[in-house]
Amino acid sequence: MKTSVILAALSLASATPIASSSAVFEVSITFNGVNGASFSQNFPADDSLVAITNPLNVSSIASVGGGFCTFTGVDGSSVVLDGEQTVSVSPPQPQKWGSCQTA
Ligand SMILES: *[C@@H]1O[C@H](CO)[C@@H](O)[C@H](O)[C@H]1NC(C)=O
């Protein structure tokens, strides 16, 4: 009986969200694919390098603003977004890494 109470308390503790009070501002980025598909990913505006795992072949990258971001493609493309804008990836290619900071 006591054991099950302790286990319940432990599982509650581990389900507690981590550090939700010290929220880092995140930049929402949309990746537009050559085939018309798109996906979005959030990047913390703290200059950290974030892996982009979606394999979509990306032809342009759009930001709704709020940050300064750079993206690197699998074939070496480099795209810089400064605030709210859409920039083409040339030639189109899947994206590998992104990082944002406050503008
Ligand atoms: C992505 O699309 C471009 C343009 O259509 C094409 O040249 C390139 O080979 C594609 N890359 C991949 C990984 O599918």
Side-chain angles (χ1 to χ4, degrees):
M1 192 59 171
K2 264 182 185 160
T3 308
S4 66
V5 169
I6 291 168
L7 286 176
L10 281 175
S11 65
L12 272 180
S14 63
T16 306
I18 304 160
S20 57
S21 55
S22 64
V24 174
F25 170 70
E26 292 201 330
V27 186
S28 177
I29 299 293
T30 301
F31 297 86
N32 300 302
V34 289
N35 59 358
S38 68
F39 70 94
S40 293
Q41 188 170 333
N42 286 350
F43 294 80
D46 62 0
D47 225 5
S48 60
L49 206 53
V50 179
I52 299 165
T53 56
N54 192 307
L56 186 70
N57 194 347
V58 175
S59 58
S60 70
I61 305 174
S63 169
V64 293
F68 178 88
C69 305
T70 59
F71 300 95
T72 304
V74 294
D75 289 327
S77 72
S78 182
V79 165
V80 175
L81 291 185
D82 188 1
E84 181 184 352
Q85 59 178 180
T86 301
V87 176
S88 301
V89 178
S90 174
Q93 59 197 269
Q95 298 296 294
K96 196 163 60 168
W97 299 104
S99 86
C100 294
Q101 59 192 77
T102 50

